[in-house]
mmCIF file of all heavy atoms in Angstrom:
data_model
loop_
_atom_site.group_PDB
_atom_site.id
_atom_site.type_symbol
_atom_site.label_atom_id
_atom_site.label_comp_id
_atom_site.label_asym_id
_atom_site.label_seq_id
_atom_site.Cartn_x
_atom_site.Cartn_y
_atom_site.Cartn_z
ATOM 1 N N LEU A 697 -13.709 -5.379 23.776
ATOM 2 C CA LEU A 697 -14.804 -5.180 22.836
ATOM 3 C C LEU A 697 -14.267 -4.756 21.477
ATOM 4 O O LEU A 697 -14.697 -5.282 20.434
ATOM 5 C CB LEU A 697 -15.759 -4.110 23.375
ATOM 6 C CG LEU A 697 -16.863 -3.648 22.421
ATOM 7 C CD1 LEU A 697 -17.826 -4.784 22.125
ATOM 8 C CD2 LEU A 697 -17.605 -2.449 22.980
ATOM 9 N N MET A 698 -13.318 -3.831 21.452
ATOM 10 C CA MET A 698 -12.757 -3.377 20.188
ATOM 11 C C MET A 698 -11.921 -4.466 19.527
ATOM 12 O O MET A 698 -11.892 -4.574 18.298
ATOM 13 C CB MET A 698 -11.908 -2.122 20.421
ATOM 14 C CG MET A 698 -12.716 -0.918 20.888
ATOM 15 S SD MET A 698 -14.109 -0.525 19.809
ATOM 16 C CE MET A 698 -13.259 -0.095 18.290
ATOM 17 N N PHE A 699 -11.253 -5.284 20.330
ATOM 18 C CA PHE A 699 -10.525 -6.424 19.769
ATOM 19 C C PHE A 699 -11.476 -7.379 19.062
ATOM 20 O O PHE A 699 -11.240 -7.797 17.921
ATOM 21 C CB PHE A 699 -9.766 -7.152 20.884
ATOM 22 C CG PHE A 699 -9.233 -8.493 20.475
ATOM 23 C CD1 PHE A 699 -8.157 -8.596 19.601
ATOM 24 C CD2 PHE A 699 -9.811 -9.662 20.950
ATOM 25 C CE1 PHE A 699 -7.665 -9.842 19.213
ATOM 26 C CE2 PHE A 699 -9.333 -10.907 20.574
ATOM 27 C CZ PHE A 699 -8.254 -10.997 19.701
ATOM 28 N N LEU A 700 -12.577 -7.716 19.711
ATOM 29 C CA LEU A 700 -13.545 -8.631 19.113
ATOM 30 C C LEU A 700 -14.240 -8.000 17.909
ATOM 31 O O LEU A 700 -14.579 -8.696 16.945
ATOM 32 C CB LEU A 700 -14.584 -9.060 20.155
ATOM 33 C CG LEU A 700 -14.037 -9.917 21.303
ATOM 34 C CD1 LEU A 700 -15.134 -10.197 22.324
ATOM 35 C CD2 LEU A 700 -13.447 -11.220 20.783
ATOM 36 N N ALA A 701 -14.452 -6.672 17.957
ATOM 37 C CA ALA A 701 -15.036 -5.990 16.807
ATOM 38 C C ALA A 701 -14.113 -6.106 15.600
ATOM 39 O O ALA A 701 -14.564 -6.323 14.470
ATOM 40 C CB ALA A 701 -15.293 -4.519 17.142
ATOM 41 N N GLY A 702 -12.800 -5.971 15.832
ATOM 42 C CA GLY A 702 -11.847 -6.157 14.750
ATOM 43 C C GLY A 702 -11.834 -7.580 14.230
ATOM 44 O O GLY A 702 -11.713 -7.820 13.021
ATOM 45 N N CYS A 703 -12.007 -8.543 15.142
ATOM 46 C CA CYS A 703 -12.019 -9.956 14.746
ATOM 47 C C CYS A 703 -13.227 -10.307 13.892
ATOM 48 O O CYS A 703 -13.201 -11.293 13.147
ATOM 49 C CB CYS A 703 -12.012 -10.853 15.991
ATOM 50 S SG CYS A 703 -10.467 -10.830 16.903
ATOM 51 N N GLU A 704 -14.303 -9.543 14.000
ATOM 52 C CA GLU A 704 -15.503 -9.831 13.220
ATOM 53 C C GLU A 704 -15.343 -9.496 11.751
ATOM 54 O O GLU A 704 -16.127 -9.931 10.915
ATOM 55 C CB GLU A 704 -16.690 -9.034 13.775
ATOM 56 C CG GLU A 704 -17.171 -9.505 15.123
ATOM 57 C CD GLU A 704 -18.270 -8.607 15.663
ATOM 58 O OE1 GLU A 704 -18.907 -7.908 14.867
ATOM 59 O OE2 GLU A 704 -18.490 -8.616 16.872
ATOM 60 N N MET A 705 -14.336 -8.700 11.426
ATOM 61 C CA MET A 705 -14.211 -8.212 10.055
ATOM 62 C C MET A 705 -13.531 -9.257 9.187
ATOM 63 O O MET A 705 -12.411 -9.110 8.738
ATOM 64 C CB MET A 705 -13.441 -6.894 10.053
ATOM 65 C CG MET A 705 -14.158 -5.840 10.859
ATOM 66 S SD MET A 705 -13.347 -4.248 10.820
ATOM 67 C CE MET A 705 -14.463 -3.311 11.855
ATOM 68 N N ARG A 706 -14.242 -10.320 8.921
ATOM 69 C CA ARG A 706 -13.688 -11.435 8.170
ATOM 70 C C ARG A 706 -14.707 -11.928 7.146
ATOM 71 O O ARG A 706 -15.900 -11.925 7.349
ATOM 72 C CB ARG A 706 -13.325 -12.591 9.105
ATOM 73 C CG ARG A 706 -14.550 -13.118 9.836
ATOM 74 C CD ARG A 706 -14.234 -14.325 10.688
ATOM 75 N NE ARG A 706 -13.450 -13.943 11.836
ATOM 76 C CZ ARG A 706 -12.429 -14.631 12.297
ATOM 77 N NH1 ARG A 706 -12.101 -15.751 11.716
ATOM 78 N NH2 ARG A 706 -11.768 -14.237 13.348
ATOM 79 N N ALA A 707 -14.213 -12.372 6.015
ATOM 80 C CA ALA A 707 -15.007 -13.099 5.022
ATOM 81 C C ALA A 707 -16.317 -12.403 4.669
ATOM 82 O O ALA A 707 -17.339 -13.055 4.523
ATOM 83 C CB ALA A 707 -15.293 -14.521 5.519
ATOM 84 N N VAL A 708 -16.306 -11.059 4.533
ATOM 85 C CA VAL A 708 -17.537 -10.379 4.141
ATOM 86 C C VAL A 708 -17.432 -9.746 2.759
ATOM 87 O O VAL A 708 -18.452 -9.365 2.180
ATOM 88 C CB VAL A 708 -17.922 -9.286 5.163
ATOM 89 C CG1 VAL A 708 -18.270 -9.911 6.499
ATOM 90 C CG2 VAL A 708 -16.815 -8.262 5.321
ATOM 91 N N PHE A 709 -16.234 -9.635 2.228
ATOM 92 C CA PHE A 709 -16.066 -8.982 0.945
ATOM 93 C C PHE A 709 -16.213 -9.966 -0.212
ATOM 94 O O PHE A 709 -15.825 -11.126 -0.121
ATOM 95 C CB PHE A 709 -14.693 -8.308 0.870
ATOM 96 C CG PHE A 709 -14.526 -7.179 1.843
ATOM 97 C CD1 PHE A 709 -13.813 -7.347 3.014
ATOM 98 C CD2 PHE A 709 -15.103 -5.953 1.593
ATOM 99 C CE1 PHE A 709 -13.656 -6.311 3.918
ATOM 100 C CE2 PHE A 709 -14.961 -4.906 2.491
ATOM 101 C CZ PHE A 709 -14.239 -5.087 3.641
ATOM 102 N N SER A 710 -16.779 -9.478 -1.313
ATOM 103 C CA SER A 710 -16.943 -10.282 -2.516
ATOM 104 C C SER A 710 -16.698 -9.384 -3.723
ATOM 105 O O SER A 710 -17.131 -8.229 -3.751
ATOM 106 C CB SER A 710 -18.353 -10.882 -2.584
ATOM 107 O OG SER A 710 -18.551 -11.545 -3.811
ATOM 108 N N ARG A 711 -16.023 -9.914 -4.726
ATOM 109 C CA ARG A 711 -15.692 -9.099 -5.893
ATOM 110 C C ARG A 711 -16.934 -8.583 -6.612
ATOM 111 O O ARG A 711 -16.956 -7.464 -7.106
ATOM 112 C CB ARG A 711 -14.848 -9.922 -6.869
ATOM 113 C CG ARG A 711 -13.400 -10.086 -6.438
ATOM 114 C CD ARG A 711 -12.587 -10.721 -7.539
ATOM 115 N NE ARG A 711 -11.180 -10.798 -7.171
ATOM 116 C CZ ARG A 711 -10.235 -11.274 -7.972
ATOM 117 N NH1 ARG A 711 -10.573 -11.746 -9.181
ATOM 118 N NH2 ARG A 711 -8.986 -11.306 -7.577
ATOM 119 N N LYS A 712 -17.971 -9.405 -6.658
ATOM 120 C CA LYS A 712 -19.158 -8.970 -7.397
ATOM 121 C C LYS A 712 -19.894 -7.824 -6.713
ATOM 122 O O LYS A 712 -20.738 -7.183 -7.320
ATOM 123 C CB LYS A 712 -20.108 -10.151 -7.620
ATOM 124 C CG LYS A 712 -20.677 -10.761 -6.357
ATOM 125 C CD LYS A 712 -21.574 -11.938 -6.742
ATOM 126 C CE LYS A 712 -22.161 -12.625 -5.518
ATOM 127 N NZ LYS A 712 -23.022 -13.767 -5.888
ATOM 128 N N ASP A 713 -19.579 -7.582 -5.435
ATOM 129 C CA ASP A 713 -20.186 -6.458 -4.721
ATOM 130 C C ASP A 713 -19.246 -5.268 -4.612
ATOM 131 O O ASP A 713 -19.589 -4.282 -3.967
ATOM 132 C CB ASP A 713 -20.588 -6.882 -3.294
ATOM 133 C CG ASP A 713 -21.601 -8.006 -3.298
ATOM 134 O OD1 ASP A 713 -22.512 -7.969 -4.130
ATOM 135 O OD2 ASP A 713 -21.469 -8.902 -2.443
ATOM 136 N N SER A 714 -18.064 -5.355 -5.220
ATOM 137 C CA SER A 714 -17.035 -4.352 -4.976
ATOM 138 C C SER A 714 -17.480 -2.952 -5.376
ATOM 139 O O SER A 714 -17.243 -1.987 -4.645
ATOM 140 C CB SER A 714 -15.747 -4.723 -5.718
ATOM 141 O OG SER A 714 -15.993 -4.843 -7.112
ATOM 142 N N ARG A 715 -18.149 -2.822 -6.516
ATOM 143 C CA ARG A 715 -18.581 -1.488 -6.956
ATOM 144 C C ARG A 715 -19.651 -0.939 -6.015
ATOM 145 O O ARG A 715 -19.585 0.226 -5.601
ATOM 146 C CB ARG A 715 -19.109 -1.537 -8.387
ATOM 147 C CG ARG A 715 -19.540 -0.161 -8.906
ATOM 148 C CD ARG A 715 -19.887 -0.206 -10.378
ATOM 149 N NE ARG A 715 -20.286 1.117 -10.855
ATOM 150 C CZ ARG A 715 -21.525 1.580 -10.827
ATOM 151 N NH1 ARG A 715 -22.505 0.794 -10.344
ATOM 152 N NH2 ARG A 715 -21.812 2.785 -11.260
ATOM 153 N N THR A 716 -20.630 -1.772 -5.684
ATOM 154 C CA THR A 716 -21.689 -1.325 -4.780
ATOM 155 C C THR A 716 -21.120 -0.927 -3.432
ATOM 156 O O THR A 716 -21.447 0.139 -2.888
ATOM 157 C CB THR A 716 -22.724 -2.450 -4.582
ATOM 158 O OG1 THR A 716 -23.310 -2.770 -5.841
ATOM 159 C CG2 THR A 716 -23.815 -2.025 -3.614
ATOM 160 N N VAL A 717 -20.260 -1.778 -2.879
ATOM 161 C CA VAL A 717 -19.666 -1.499 -1.576
ATOM 162 C C VAL A 717 -18.826 -0.231 -1.620
ATOM 163 O O VAL A 717 -18.906 0.620 -0.729
ATOM 164 C CB VAL A 717 -18.812 -2.700 -1.111
ATOM 165 C CG1 VAL A 717 -17.997 -2.330 0.123
ATOM 166 C CG2 VAL A 717 -19.701 -3.895 -0.808
ATOM 167 N N GLY A 718 -18.023 -0.080 -2.670
ATOM 168 C CA GLY A 718 -17.164 1.090 -2.778
ATOM 169 C C GLY A 718 -17.944 2.386 -2.869
ATOM 170 O O GLY A 718 -17.642 3.360 -2.168
ATOM 171 N N VAL A 719 -18.979 2.410 -3.718
ATOM 172 C CA VAL A 719 -19.766 3.638 -3.901
ATOM 173 C C VAL A 719 -20.539 3.978 -2.635
ATOM 174 O O VAL A 719 -20.549 5.132 -2.181
ATOM 175 C CB VAL A 719 -20.726 3.489 -5.100
ATOM 176 C CG1 VAL A 719 -21.674 4.686 -5.170
ATOM 177 C CG2 VAL A 719 -19.938 3.367 -6.393
ATOM 178 N N ILE A 720 -21.204 2.975 -2.028
ATOM 179 C CA ILE A 720 -21.982 3.240 -0.814
ATOM 180 C C ILE A 720 -21.065 3.665 0.325
ATOM 181 O O ILE A 720 -21.404 4.563 1.112
ATOM 182 C CB ILE A 720 -22.799 2.000 -0.410
ATOM 183 C CG1 ILE A 720 -23.858 1.696 -1.468
ATOM 184 C CG2 ILE A 720 -23.485 2.216 0.939
ATOM 185 C CD1 ILE A 720 -24.671 0.444 -1.182
ATOM 186 N N ALA A 721 -19.888 3.046 0.429
ATOM 187 C CA ALA A 721 -18.955 3.408 1.498
ATOM 188 C C ALA A 721 -18.492 4.845 1.351
ATOM 189 O O ALA A 721 -18.451 5.606 2.331
ATOM 190 C CB ALA A 721 -17.765 2.461 1.499
ATOM 191 N N VAL A 722 -18.156 5.247 0.125
ATOM 192 C CA VAL A 722 -17.660 6.606 -0.090
ATOM 193 C C VAL A 722 -18.769 7.634 0.112
ATOM 194 O O VAL A 722 -18.622 8.585 0.883
ATOM 195 C CB VAL A 722 -17.058 6.737 -1.508
ATOM 196 C CG1 VAL A 722 -16.733 8.199 -1.806
ATOM 197 C CG2 VAL A 722 -15.803 5.889 -1.627
ATOM 198 N N VAL A 723 -19.900 7.435 -0.571
ATOM 199 C CA VAL A 723 -20.993 8.406 -0.479
ATOM 200 C C VAL A 723 -21.628 8.374 0.908
ATOM 201 O O VAL A 723 -21.898 9.411 1.529
ATOM 202 C CB VAL A 723 -22.054 8.137 -1.558
ATOM 203 C CG1 VAL A 723 -23.225 9.115 -1.420
ATOM 204 C CG2 VAL A 723 -21.437 8.243 -2.944
ATOM 205 N N GLY A 724 -21.875 7.148 1.414
ATOM 206 C CA GLY A 724 -22.562 7.001 2.692
ATOM 207 C C GLY A 724 -21.732 7.407 3.889
ATOM 208 O O GLY A 724 -22.279 7.608 4.976
ATOM 209 N N MET A 725 -20.416 7.530 3.713
ATOM 210 C CA MET A 725 -19.558 7.969 4.813
ATOM 211 C C MET A 725 -19.076 9.398 4.610
ATOM 212 O O MET A 725 -19.104 10.212 5.538
ATOM 213 C CB MET A 725 -18.351 7.036 4.954
ATOM 214 C CG MET A 725 -17.351 7.466 6.025
ATOM 215 S SD MET A 725 -16.041 6.258 6.266
ATOM 216 C CE MET A 725 -15.392 6.116 4.602
#
Side-chain angles (χ1 to χ4, degrees):
L697 172 65
M698 295 306 296
F699 168 72
L700 294 176
C703 290
E704 290 175 21
M705 299 183 180
R706 61 176 71 221
V708 295
F709 295 102
S710 174
R711 284 189 176 182
K712 63 181 179 180
D713 299 319
S714 58
R715 181 173 180 271
T716 299
V717 170
V719 172
I720 294 177
V722 172
V723 178
M725 176 174 56

